Amino acid sequence: MLLEHKFYIKTAVDIERRVLAGGGNLHYDCEQALLDDGSRQENIWAAGFMPLTGKLNFESMVNLRPRQNRSMELIDPIIRERVAQIIVEFLGNV
């Protein structure tokens, strides 16, 4: 994934199972891979990872949920931290 997507990697993370899917054309593609693998929708959150800078972007349509998150940007700081930890675990330092 890091070799193919050098500048920006779209990811989806299951924060309960601690599983990451990445490299899709859309965050949705990663989300679907997790759902197909048995993840539950309410546990999946999306972020973009920029390998060259180590920065994360928490904005995706996947994060837009009326009951949990009323924005494309992942607002909850606890969930953001959990997503960041999993991305770092799999892809490197942020």
Side-chain angles (χ1 to χ4, degrees):
M1 199 175 2
L2 289 169
L3 294 174
E4 187 174 333
H5 303 282
K6 294 177 177 83
F7 305 106
Y8 191 78
I9 300 171
K10 293 179 181 178
T11 68
V13 174
D14 181 329
I15 60 172
E16 290 302 314
R17 294 176 55 214
R18 299 191 59 78
V19 177
L20 176 141
N25 288 324
L26 302 170
H27 289 105
Y28 170 83
D29 300 326
C30 303
E31 173 191 39
Q32 290 307 303
L34 291 176
L35 289 169
D36 291 346
D37 190 52
S39 292
R40 293 180 18 215
Q41 178 68 53
E42 63 268 15
N43 297 327
I44 300 173
W45 299 95
F49 175 66
M50 293 163 257
L52 297 177
T53 63
K55 294 190 182 212
L56 291 171
N57 173 322
F58 293 95
E59 194 167 308
S60 169
M61 288 295 291
V62 170
N63 297 333
L64 182 58
R65 303 180 196 164
R67 293 184 187 156
Q68 287 180 287
N69 194 68
R70 292 180 177 243
S71 171
M72 285 179 32
E73 182 175 353
L74 180 50
I75 297 170
D76 186 311
I78 294 169
I79 295 175
R80 282 174 75 121
E81 180 58 30
R82 290 176 73 185
V83 169
Q85 288 173 350
I86 294 167
I87 291 172
V88 167
E89 181 180 320
F90 285 98
L91 299 178
N93 288 332
V94 179

